[in-house]
């Protein structure tokens, strides 16, 4: 699994701490972690939580990432932004049990964490415990286990509803201000990480044209 970490501007100074906590857990699973920034509050290219949603959608729909870890001060804005796009199911995760149950019941591909609210002494421990539970086993197995059949059925129904209600990602992106989209993709390591891992040629071509490649 390839996990992408994305931080927005208000919590950018915590990127290193979040990355280390995520990578510590991912390494035990043999997962890869790509850090898309922001890397510090001084980064020249800033990201809002709305831009987090744009970037996450491009990464997930292109196959450049299998999972996205993001957040903002409360985690709510980033969650809403990510869930505004097709191909993204983002949960709001505050503690380890949230992480475990979101993975097992909702079987999503992204989480948004509150990186300001309640983020005090022992915050790095809470992050590690969340990531441990989030990636502890194959997702979508149900919780409690005897609920697996109706939960998997509901997830399939949700997938059908979302497929009906959402447009193709490129249609969505092209309907937005193109400078807003482009500014979401100008992080220091975006090109290095994205183009080598992207598996969708139509999205790759769109991004190249958008960035003037």
């Amino acid at each position: 699994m390839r996990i992408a970490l994305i931080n927005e501007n208000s919590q950018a100074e915590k990127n290193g701490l979040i990355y280390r906590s995520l990578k510590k857990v991912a390494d035990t699973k043999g997962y890869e972690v790509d850090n898309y920034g922001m890397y510090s509050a001084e980064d020249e290219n800033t990201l809002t939580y709305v831009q987090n949603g744009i970037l996450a959608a491009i990464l997930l729909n292109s196959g450049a990432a299998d999972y996205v870890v993001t957040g903002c001060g409360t985690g709510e804005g980033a969650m809403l932004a990510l869930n505004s796009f097709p191909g993204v199911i983002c949960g709001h995760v505050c503690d380890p049990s949230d992480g475990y149950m979101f993975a097992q019941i909702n079987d999503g591909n992204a989480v948004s964490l509150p990186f300001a609210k309640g983020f005090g002494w022992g915050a790095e421990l809470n992050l590690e415990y969340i990531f441990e539970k989030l990636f502890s086993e194959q997702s979508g197995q149900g919780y409690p286990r005897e609920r697996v059949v109706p939960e998997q059925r509901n997830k399939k129904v949700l997938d059908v509803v979302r497929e009906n209600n959402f447009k193709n990602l490129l249609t969505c992106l092209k309907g937005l201000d193109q400078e807003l989209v482009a500014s979401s993709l100008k992080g220091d390591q975006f090109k290095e990480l994205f183009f080598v891992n992207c598996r969708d040629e139509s999205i790759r071509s769109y991004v190249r044209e958008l960035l003037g490649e």
Side-chain angles (χ1 to χ4, degrees), residues 35-62:
N35 190 354
Y36 281 86
M38 298 173 54
Y39 305 103
S40 76
E42 288 73 42
D43 278 13
E44 183 176 342
N45 185 68
T46 63
L47 292 171
T48 65
Y49 67 76
V50 177
Q51 290 170 307
N52 283 14
I54 294 171
L55 176 53
I58 288 174
L59 296 178
L60 291 170
N61 282 273
S62 70

Side-chain angles (χ1 to χ4, degrees), residues 1 29 44 66 73 79 81 99 125 129 131 142 163-164 178 187 197:
M1 180 186 290
K29 300 289 184 179
E44 183 176 342
D66 303 303
M79 177 197 67
L125 296 177
Y129 299 155
F131 297 142
E163 183 176 358
N164 175 77
Q178 294 302 278
N197 293 305

